[in-house]
Amino acid sequence: INIPVRKSEFDKAQGIVKQVEAGYSADRKDRGNFVKTPYGKRFLGTNHGISAQILADYMGKLPNRDDMKNLSYETALEIFKSQYWDPQNLSEFADQNIANIIYDGCVNQGINGTKQVLREVYKKNNIDISDDENPFNLDFIKQVNKLDQEKLFTEIKLQRELRYKSSITYKTHGEGWLSRLSSFEYNDDKNS
């Protein structure tokens, strides 16, 4: 008997992220609003949750502030899917709740930050992973899919919170970050 493998859906995860990542942000205290140049950092802001550096990587050139301000939601969706969702194999997580909270982490705390969060969670669940291994590797995801998903969700949420609290801009952004994180609740509905 072949049991169908459940997969998570980008549109569901993006629907959650879209609620908190709407429009252009010109917050100069947000490090994601700057792009590195050979001459130092350039302020661009963010739009639809797309950081300055991610837009630069996507465009293959140094964008200007107008490029960021004029970023369409359709282009932002393309960037989210091609830069955040697909390369991290997020569809392969069997529980949509897990994919949602990880995807939000990638967007808000960065892909590398989220990898650190997952390494900590994996270690706590006796998954052997080194600090240089990619937690989005399919072999790791298969192991994760066998764990108690609600417990896993709670541990990811806790590690994300700890990462926020260790950030140098926590005093400025912490309240908003924790509010965003607290909006994630584990939903037992298998179609969530």
Side-chain angles (χ1 to χ4, degrees), residues 16-128:
I16 295 167
V17 166
K18 182 182 183 197
Q19 294 173 20
V20 291
E21 294 286 6
Y24 179 75
S25 168
D27 180 356
R28 288 189 175 272
K29 293 179 181 169
D30 183 341
R31 295 182 302 163
N33 288 354
F34 292 84
V35 66
K36 293 176 186 152
T37 76
Y39 313 103
K41 292 182 176 181
R42 176 189 285 179
F43 178 80
L44 298 180
T46 59
N47 201 351
H48 307 294
I50 301 297
S51 71
Q53 190 60 54
I54 290 291
L55 182 61
D57 294 345
Y58 176 79
M59 291 178 68
K61 66 177 185 135
L62 188 61
N64 61 41
R65 204 171 313 169
D66 284 341
D67 291 325
M68 182 61 83
K69 284 181 177 178
N70 297 325
L71 179 68
S72 71
Y73 184 66
E74 291 70 27
T75 301
L77 273 180
E78 191 178 300
I79 295 170
F80 279 131
K81 185 121 173 41
S82 69
Q83 305 293 312
Y84 291 93
W85 185 267
D86 291 341
Q88 275 60 251
N89 297 308
L90 294 176
S91 294
E92 300 303 317
F93 285 93
D95 189 314
Q96 185 72 45
N97 294 287
I98 301 298
N100 292 347
I101 199 164
I102 292 173
Y103 175 65
D104 183 72
C106 288
V107 171
N108 190 241
Q109 294 178 289
I111 293 165
N112 288 331
T114 303
K115 284 179 178 180
Q116 278 305 113
V117 163
L118 291 180
R119 286 184 193 111
E120 289 302 314
V121 170
Y122 290 6
K123 289 172 186 173
K124 290 181 184 318
N125 283 278
N126 300 314
I127 294 175
D128 189 26

